[in-house]
Amino acid sequence: MNRNEEKENGGFPVPASAMPRIVLFLLTICCVCSMGYYYLKKENVASFTQAAGLILIPFQKGINSIGSFVFDLEQDHLEMEAAREEIRSLREENARLASRIEEQDRMVYDYREAERLLELKDTYSSYDTIGANVIFKNASGNWYSTFTIDRGSADGLEKNMNVIADGGLVGYISEAGLHHAVVSTIINDSINVSGMQMSTRDSCMVLGDLTLMREKGVLRLDYMKEDFEAEKDAVIVTSRISDRYFPGIKIGYVTETWLNQDLLTRSGYLKPAVDFEHIDRVLVITEQKRIND
Amino acid sequence: MKKYLVRGGLLAVLITAGFLLQTNLPGLIPLLQVSPNLLLIITFSVGFLRGKIAGMICGFICGILLDSFGGGILGYYTLIFLYIGYLNGLLARIMVNDMILLPLGLCLINEICYSLYVYIFGAFLLGKSNFGDYLRTIAMPELITTLFCTIILYGLILFCNRKLEQREKAAIERPALLR
């Protein structure tokens, strides 16, 4: 290549037409390396979350106010219909609940007893929590279930802290920026939570399943013993053996179980306690579970 | 210099609006279970209308945004959006860009590539193989909502592009003294 051409290309020893290809190639290598690094080390090589957050969060505040306005309008419209439906369902529920009170008393007694035995006096209600609003939903695309909240490390949030809402487990913080944090929910495919039946303390595993959640609104329950005692609506809470979640946080209710073909284990479905589609406010437990503490 | 400022500013506004809308639509429209992939539409439209360099820049920013706020792997979305921007840039101006079927066709092809990429690369992490379920519950609804949004968004970007081209053409024709 002669000197003139080099000058035209701003001193680069390649023709200008090849520049996009070279940039593409370099960026591809960067992306692949970054992904490879994550695959090996399970953490990101660098984070652009801070910078991106500083730019976007202010805009989001505006959107939130519009959002709540639209939401209020829609609520008014739906209220009448919902009220009628609710009266009907409440009557049914009332009848059902009355028959269960007696049984619940026994279960409460059992629970207290078990609690005493396991020294599980402090359930999650005694942990310090901080409230946060959901700002971005599904920022990771429809193939994953995450959302962003408006509190970050400046408010004392850290990676792996537990997130709850409506008294149920939502997930954990997978990334914390200065004024926002990303929450991965338990319905994600890769996330498993070890749980137990609240009254009998039989252990089980709650497996995240995004497709099942979208279709039927349930998660999979697995690795239960064949004598797992779970009538419908039995409560499943997080167990002590989990390395990430505090014990005693409600995960959801059993909807059905069945004996597997090997006749040794049971599987089933669990309806989460949290309505994942309409989360707009969550609580973050500002303590971290330490193993062997 | 001013030319690049206007282009960059327009792109920044477009991407910011697209991202905010995409991450808020499920909250605003209650029946919407999946959010339309607006950033994908922006990336392939910009690539197709403005060429591969603009497509790459746009794809890179969109990908980085999704990776930063998704809390996932850095580079996962950046890679696919980068290529969507670049490859659509290669197609730029091959065809007349006025037809309505063209953006829809582009959207269809891009969305299929995107879904396949997300599924195949994600499968290592998801540890699942039931592609049918994903197709039924995630990929198809996303495709339909995205196709629907393409009609509006592509039209908007096309309009912006025309205005921009007119402006830049006028700026060149104007004598240097009056500028």
Side-chain angles (χ1 to χ4, degrees):
Chain A
M1 187 185 297
N2 65 40
R3 215 160 262 281
N4 272 347
E5 266 178 66
E6 268 185 41
K7 233 177 216 171
E8 276 166 26
N9 299 332
F12 290 113
V14 285
S17 60
M19 281 303 285
R21 250 177 295 159
I22 291 168
V23 174
L24 181 74
F25 181 67
L26 290 177
L27 286 175
T28 306
I29 290 178
C30 288
C31 288
V32 171
C33 287
S34 165
M35 283 159 77
Y37 185 86
Y38 186 92
Y39 193 74
L40 295 174
K41 300 258 176 149
K42 297 287 169 219
E43 63 176 37
N44 277 327
V45 64
S47 175
F48 293 93
T49 318
Q50 306 287 18
L54 284 178
I55 302 164
L56 278 177
I57 302 290
F59 287 105
Q60 181 58 33
K61 307 272 180 196
I63 294 232
N64 274 358
S65 50
I66 302 172
S68 50
F69 176 70
V70 174
F71 184 74
D72 288 346
L73 277 184
E74 184 213 321
Q75 280 299 303
D76 288 345
H77 178 73
L78 288 177
E79 227 152 62
M80 279 295 286
E81 219 175 312
R84 272 193 217 110
E85 178 66 23
E86 201 171 344
I87 290 170
R88 203 178 56 78
S89 68
L90 278 178
R91 278 196 192 122
E92 279 174 22
E93 203 177 335
N94 198 23
R96 199 161 50 81
L97 286 178
S99 69
R100 282 193 59 191
I101 285 177
E102 205 177 326
E103 191 189 332
Q104 291 288 355
D105 285 341
R106 183 185 62 81
M107 278 162 70
V108 165
Y109 175 77
D110 287 349
Y111 177 62
R112 292 268 175 269
E113 192 71 7
E115 206 177 56
R116 192 180 57 77
L117 285 172
L118 285 160
E119 292 175 343
L120 194 78
K121 268 167 261 167
D122 46 357
T123 48
Y124 64 95
S125 55
S126 64
Y127 299 128
D128 284 337
T129 57
I130 184 169
N133 292 310
V134 175
I135 50 175
F136 304 133
K137 278 179 187 171
N138 277 2
S140 54
N142 294 316
W143 295 70
Y144 300 91
S145 170
T146 62
F147 56 82
T148 310
I149 53 175
D150 64 351
R151 300 240 187 207
S153 50
D155 306 287
L157 267 56
E158 283 171 32
K159 204 173 164 177
N160 287 333
M161 279 179 171
N162 296 185
V163 180
I164 56 176
D166 309 330
L169 182 67
V170 173
Y172 68 98
I173 292 181
S174 56
E175 197 159 339
L178 196 58
H179 291 292
H180 70 276
V182 181
V183 178
S184 282
T185 68
I186 54 167
I187 63 176
N188 262 315
D189 291 298
S190 49
I191 294 184
N192 302 333
V193 184
S194 56
M196 60 187 176
Q197 219 261 40
M198 202 167 87
S199 53
T200 61
R201 310 216 151 234
D202 289 336
S203 69
C204 61
M205 202 72 161
V206 179
L207 310 178
D209 194 326
L210 205 55
T211 54
L212 201 62
M213 191 67 203
R214 285 253 158 80
E215 252 180 340
K216 296 181 183 164
V218 291
L219 295 176
R220 277 179 66 81
L221 270 174
D222 220 332
Y223 306 112
M224 300 180 285
K225 282 189 203 144
E226 93 268 33
D227 59 349
F228 187 85
E229 190 193 306
E231 63 257 60
K232 200 171 178 297
D233 288 338
V235 178
I236 301 290
V237 297
T238 49
S239 79
R240 291 174 70 85
I241 55 172
S242 169
D243 57 353
R244 183 180 273 152
Y245 303 103
F246 284 105
I249 305 175
K250 192 200 285 172
I251 306 174
Y253 311 92
V254 177
T255 56
E256 58 175 305
T257 62
W258 60 85
L259 202 58
N260 284 332
Q261 281 187 338
D262 58 12
L263 301 179
L264 292 170
T265 56
R266 260 176 187 278
S267 294
Y269 287 145
L270 165 130
K271 186 175 166 46
V274 181
D275 179 2
F276 283 96
E277 262 176 43
H278 302 106
I279 293 181
D280 48 6
R281 227 184 131 62
V282 294
L283 290 173
V284 182
I285 299 177
T286 52
E287 288 171 53
Q288 287 227 41
K289 183 161 181 178
R290 305 254 185 269
I291 312 159
N292 306 326
D293 223 13
Chain B
M1 195 61 213
K2 197 184 161 198
K3 190 171 76 175
Y4 292 108
L5 271 179
V6 173
R7 285 182 192 175
L10 213 57
L11 192 64
V13 169
L14 204 61
I15 293 173
T16 311
F19 179 78
L20 290 177
L21 213 57
Q22 179 173 331
T23 52
N24 283 282
L25 271 184
L28 294 176
I29 305 171
L31 284 177
L32 205 66
Q33 280 212 339
V34 292
S35 40
N37 208 331
L38 298 181
L39 291 185
L40 186 85
I41 304 175
I42 293 173
T43 305
F44 80 71
S45 307
V46 168
F48 186 71
L49 293 170
R50 307 286 315 176
K52 54 192 173 190
I53 298 177
M56 266 167 67
I57 296 171
C58 180
F60 185 72
I61 299 172
C62 290
I64 285 278
L65 267 185
L66 286 176
D67 280 333
S68 316
F69 283 109
I73 307 162
L74 186 69
Y76 180 52
Y77 282 113
T78 312
L79 193 64
I80 183 69
F81 275 84
L82 196 63
Y83 273 90
I84 283 174
Y86 183 80
L87 294 177
N88 283 286
L90 291 182
L91 294 175
R93 286 155 215 277
I94 290 177
M95 291 167 278
V96 195
N97 47 26
D98 283 67
M99 296 183 296
I100 189 65
L101 281 179
L102 182 68
L104 290 183
L106 274 179
C107 173
L108 187 71
I109 295 166
N110 283 309
E111 184 68 37
I112 288 170
C113 295
Y114 168 84
S115 299
L116 280 177
Y117 169 86
V118 174
Y119 176 74
I120 292 168
F121 271 69
F124 288 110
L125 297 162
L126 305 177
K128 306 236 170 193
S129 54
N130 47 352
F131 186 64
D133 286 348
Y134 283 98
L135 196 68
R136 200 171 59 250
T137 57
I138 302 173
M140 281 307 285
E142 184 183 305
L143 176 65
I144 291 163
T145 42
T146 308
L147 275 176
F148 188 73
C149 291
T150 302
I151 302 171
I152 305 159
L153 198 54
Y154 183 84
L156 182 77
I157 296 170
L158 193 65
F159 175 78
C160 289
N161 188 43
R162 286 233 179 95
K163 286 278 165 208
L164 200 66
E165 277 176 352
Q166 275 171 12
R167 241 184 92 108
E168 285 174 2
K169 214 172 168 186
I172 291 166
E173 282 168 359
R174 225 180 298 154
L177 273 174
L178 295 173
R179 235 181 270 172

